[in-house]
Amino acid sequence: VQLQASGGGSVQAGGSLRLSCAASGSILSIDDMVWYRQAPGKQRELVAGISSGGSTNYADSVKGRFTISRDNAKNTVYLQMNSLKPEDTAVYLCNAEVLVDGDNVRYLEVWGQGTQVTVSS
């Protein structure tokens, strides 16, 4: 099972970006899907999460600016980022709890490779 993140880039403050993270492999279902970010010299922090039922939670720093959503049919989670600020600059990583099919059906915590978001003032 793999997570492939995309959509990062460089924007000016006030701009928008939409990140995507698609899961692939022998997937039976996906529970929570979460976006984290890590800036240079800082700890990784949770940005937003969404449950399989659509319940969401956000870091205080992004509430009202970012929106997380998912398409269960596509095994994909999105992060719409509006009104971006220079302090949003970081590598954004996606994470998911995946029920994996196979001889041993089990839950795996899977991480994507990260996508860079750079916001200039």
Side-chain angles (χ1 to χ4, degrees), residues 28-119:
L28 290 175
S29 64
I30 303 177
D31 283 359
D32 293 345
M33 302 186 83
V34 184
W35 285 100
Y36 290 83
R37 66 187 180 188
Q38 187 159 21
K42 294 187 177 181
Q43 288 189 330
R44 185 173 297 179
E45 64 171 342
L46 185 148
V47 176
I50 185 167
S51 71
S52 57
S55 297
T56 59
N57 63 288
Y58 296 92
D60 287 343
S61 59
V62 307
K63 282 181 181 177
R65 299 189 297 122
F66 291 10
T67 302
I68 190 170
S69 61
R70 63 190 286 170
D71 184 333
N72 290 329
K74 295 181 179 180
N75 290 329
T76 300
V77 62
Y78 305 97
L79 187 67
Q80 178 66 45
M81 305 186 295
N82 298 328
S83 302
L84 283 161
K85 303 176 181 180
E87 51 264 44
D88 294 319
T89 295
V91 174
Y92 284 71
L93 305 106
C94 53
N95 170 280
E97 289 286 338
V98 180
L99 185 61
V100 179
D101 197 5
D103 292 338
N104 183 16
V105 176
R106 65 201 185 280
Y107 275 101
L108 283 180
E109 183 181 19
V110 185
W111 287 89
Q113 86 285 7
T115 185
Q116 176 70 45
V117 171
T118 303
V119 185

